[in-house]
Amino acid sequence: RLMLEWEVIPADEADIILEEILNSGDGELVAALLRYKEEHNQAESALDEWDDDLSLDWEIAEEKSEEELKREWGFKENSDGTLSILRYYGSEEKVEVPSKIGERVVNDIAAEAFSPKRYGLGLKSIAKLKNIRQITIADGITQIGRYAFAYCENLTEVILPESVLAIDDYAFYGCKKLKRIQMAQLIEQIGRNAFAGCSGLTSVNILCDVGLLPEGAFADCPNLTEATVAAGSIPARLFEGSALAS
């Protein structure tokens, strides 16, 4: 009765349960189970038809295990017990930087963590980093280090959570295909030339006090034609080399 109430009877076990109830002689429960089975089959049939008509590929994202994350990420433990991301060893085009590895919290992304121009990388590692197209940083990470994503030439989109408070110097320097960056409202620091050379960037939404930004943060972005600014006076050379410079 509880399984019926909670609608948790598996479809492949409904007939077995029905037979057991028939043998018990509980007519009320038999009727309830028959109704449940009929409704369930109708709903399943309708979903199948909808899926076929739209040719949908249903995918359920599974949370990665601690061992999988350890294979995919290089990291170090900080003095306060949090982690800094040092390297990405995976090969996915859409990458989500995790907020935790096991029980340990990820605090920041270290300098050059994703940069294909990092010293000492092999050709395969360089190719994997250059292949990244989207970066989603999980909530809880507070800082992005110097040159962290610099020269990721195929990166088109970056999604930052509200927890990111600082983007260091040259963090996204030379990401020529970067078109969209979703920045946190509470961000406190954007470093020198953080987005310089992002020639594909067309618009930016700056919700922090723009007066706190250093000169050149968005320099040499020739296609940057729109900027939404929340507050503060715009530094003279903030958009130098872009359509907004004039």
Side-chain angles (χ1 to χ4, degrees):
R1 291 181 188 274
L2 285 173
M3 290 173 75
L4 276 172
E5 183 178 340
W6 294 338
E7 299 185 352
V8 294
I9 296 178
D12 56 353
E13 294 181 17
D15 289 334
I16 299 172
I17 297 173
L18 179 60
E19 185 176 351
E20 292 179 357
I21 296 173
L22 282 169
N23 293 333
S24 73
D26 190 331
E28 182 181 350
L29 198 52
V30 169
L33 183 58
L34 286 172
R35 284 196 304 272
Y36 171 87
K37 184 181 175 184
E38 183 180 359
E39 291 170 0
H40 177 81
N41 288 342
Q42 286 176 350
E44 189 176 60
S45 176
L47 183 59
D48 289 341
E49 290 176 8
W50 185 47
D51 192 13
D52 291 340
D53 289 343
L54 297 179
S55 300
L56 295 176
D57 182 18
W58 296 92
E59 294 183 1
I60 299 176
E62 294 185 3
E63 187 174 336
K64 292 180 180 179
S65 67
E66 182 178 355
E67 291 306 312
E68 287 175 313
L69 290 172
K70 284 181 177 179
R71 288 194 298 269
E72 195 168 79
W73 298 98
F75 54 88
K76 70 172 183 178
E77 186 169 348
N78 302 315
S79 58
D80 61 359
T82 64
L83 302 179
S84 294
I85 294 293
L86 301 179
R87 284 279 304 275
Y88 174 64
Y89 294 107
S91 57
E92 297 175 4
E93 292 184 1
K94 296 182 178 181
V95 179
E96 181 173 350
V97 183
S99 59
K100 294 178 73 175
I101 297 178
E103 295 302 316
R104 291 176 291 179
V105 173
V106 175
N107 177 69
D108 60 279
I109 299 171
E112 299 184 297
F114 287 83
S115 178
K117 290 198 174 184
R118 175 178 178 158
Y119 179 76
L121 291 179
L123 293 177
K124 287 186 178 179
S125 295
I126 291 172
K128 288 178 180 179
L129 293 172
K130 284 185 175 182
N131 195 45
I132 296 173
R133 284 165 169 72
Q134 182 188 77
I135 291 287
T136 301
I137 297 175
D139 192 37
I141 295 174
T142 63
Q143 185 171 2
I144 299 172
R146 287 168 55 89
Y147 292 96
F149 297 94
Y151 304 107
C152 287
E153 59 187 38
N154 288 306
L155 183 63
T156 62
E157 182 178 12
V158 176
I159 300 173
L160 304 179
E162 290 292 328
S163 59
V164 170
L165 301 178
I167 300 174
D168 287 350
D169 300 346
Y170 299 92
F172 294 92
Y173 183 84
C175 294
K176 295 180 178 180
K177 293 186 179 179
L178 183 61
K179 295 180 179 179
R180 180 174 178 267
I181 175 104
Q182 178 181 315
M183 279 194 283
Q185 185 170 353
L186 300 177
I187 199 162
E188 297 173 354
Q189 173 192 331
I190 295 180
R192 291 181 299 112
N193 296 293
F195 297 95
C198 294
S199 53
L201 198 61
T202 58
S203 66
V204 64
N205 191 11
I206 304 171
L207 299 176
C208 63
D209 185 345
V210 72
L212 301 175
L213 303 185
E215 294 182 354
F218 294 92
D220 300 321
C221 299
N223 293 304
L224 183 59
T225 58
E226 180 181 351
T228 303
V229 177
S233 58
I234 298 175
R237 300 173 61 190
L238 180 63
F239 300 108
E240 184 179 28
S242 77
L244 292 173
S246 58

